[in-house]
């Protein structure tokens, strides 16, 4: 059983389109995250949710909208995609807000043409 | 603000040798955790080892150990008896313990193990 699963793994789309990435964790963790890894491999947090509540919202364009229907799911919707949105997006979870390591999904590679 | 610095963009090591990957950090918080992750070419992020700022002993996990020098604010990863499968990107990261805290990553070091 995959602990943190993301879909889709690959996404190729045109500029201006809207797309979503879904994430689910079966670890029973309270906290979930979205991270963005750029072409230079730098990982930066975008959002974190704790028990469905938004906790961290880094300086991310409002074209990015996370949604957590329950504590096991955290989806990321991106409107009006731009070339600079091309990256690998990682979902992660941790037991609580400030304890334990992060468990990462396999990543979703988004390519905007 | 927290900051993690990994000064080695790339490292090349012969198989079976030990390797040290450098990591320095900057924080004013007394309580924090330090993490190392491995990212092989397949892309997934694999947790390797954790060190708490108040832990008295250096953390060890199999062939991985963390050389924690609090006064120098360094948390180097040591891999003993390197294997070809250790070739990957390695990321150092830290998180404050108090409150809702994000995991902040360094730039990463690409380790290549030569046969």
């Amino acid at each position: 059983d995959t602990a943190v699963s993301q879909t889709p793994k690959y996404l190729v789309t045109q500029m201006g389109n809207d797309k979503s990435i879904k994430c689910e964790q079966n670890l029973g963790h309270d906290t979930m995250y979205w991270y963005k890894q750029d072409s230079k491999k730098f990982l930066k947090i975008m959002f974190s949710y704790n028990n469905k509540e938004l906790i961290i919202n880094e300086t991310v364009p409002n074209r990015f909208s996370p949604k957590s229907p329950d504590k096991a799911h955290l989806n990321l919707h991106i409107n009006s995609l731009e070339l600079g949105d091309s990256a690998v997006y990682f979902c992660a979870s941790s037991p609580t807000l400030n304890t334990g390591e992060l468990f990462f999904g396999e990543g979703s590679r988004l390519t905007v043409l | 603000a927290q900051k993690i610095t990994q000064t080695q963009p790339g490292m090349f090591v012969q198989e079976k040798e030990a390797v040290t990957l450098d990591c320095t950090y900057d924080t004013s918080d007394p309580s924090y955790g330090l993490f190392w992750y491995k990212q092989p070419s397949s892309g997934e992020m694999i947790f390797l080892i954790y060190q708490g700022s108040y832990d008295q002993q250096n953390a060890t996990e199999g062939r991985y150990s963390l050389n924690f020098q609090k006064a120098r604010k360094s948390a180097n990863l040591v891999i003993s008896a390197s294997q070809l499968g250790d070739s990957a990107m390695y990321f150092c990261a830290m998180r404050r313990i108090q409150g809702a805290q994000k995991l902040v990553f360094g730039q990463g070091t690409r380790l290549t193990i030569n046969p």
Side-chain angles (χ1 to χ4, degrees), chain A residues 36-112:
Chain A
K36 179 180 179 180
Q37 186 174 42
D38 63 23
S39 57
K40 294 183 180 178
K41 299 289 188 182
F42 186 63
L43 274 152
K44 192 171 189 307
I45 190 167
M46 300 173 70
F47 303 101
S48 81
Y49 272 73
N50 189 64
N51 282 317
K52 304 192 297 178
E53 182 186 351
L54 179 65
I55 301 296
I56 293 174
N57 183 351
E58 289 289 289
T59 311
V60 176
N62 57 16
R63 297 182 295 104
F64 291 79
S65 51
K67 279 195 173 49
S68 182
D70 55 61
K71 76 172 194 176
H73 295 83
L74 180 61
N75 304 323
L76 183 66
H77 188 74
I78 316 170
N79 290 325
S80 304
L81 279 157
E82 301 177 356
L83 294 177
D85 297 332
S86 295
V88 180
Y89 293 85
F90 282 97
C91 177
S93 72
S94 63
T96 66
L97 275 174
N98 50 22
T99 59
E101 72 269 24
L102 269 61
F103 291 75
F104 283 83
E106 293 183 330
S108 297
R109 181 176 293 276
L110 171 65
T111 303
V112 182

Side-chain angles (χ1 to χ4, degrees), chain A residues 9 33 35 37 40-45 55-56 58 90 94 96-106, chain B residues 35 37 39 42-47 50 89 91 95-107 110:
Chain A
K9 192 167 181 179
Y33 310 80
Y35 275 81
Q37 186 174 42
K40 294 183 180 178
K41 299 289 188 182
F42 186 63
L43 274 152
K44 192 171 189 307
I45 190 167
I55 301 296
I56 293 174
E58 289 289 289
F90 282 97
S94 63
T96 66
L97 275 174
N98 50 22
T99 59
E101 72 269 24
L102 269 61
F103 291 75
F104 283 83
E106 293 183 330
Chain B
F35 303 76
Y37 281 83
Q39 186 177 40
S42 48
E44 71 269 31
M45 294 288 290
I46 302 167
F47 166 72
Y50 168 80
M89 284 288 289
F91 293 94
R95 181 161 75 171
R96 291 158 62 187
I97 302 297
Q98 299 299 323
Q101 299 304 335
K102 58 193 177 188
L103 194 62
V104 176
F105 285 86
Q107 314 92 308
R110 183 173 295 281

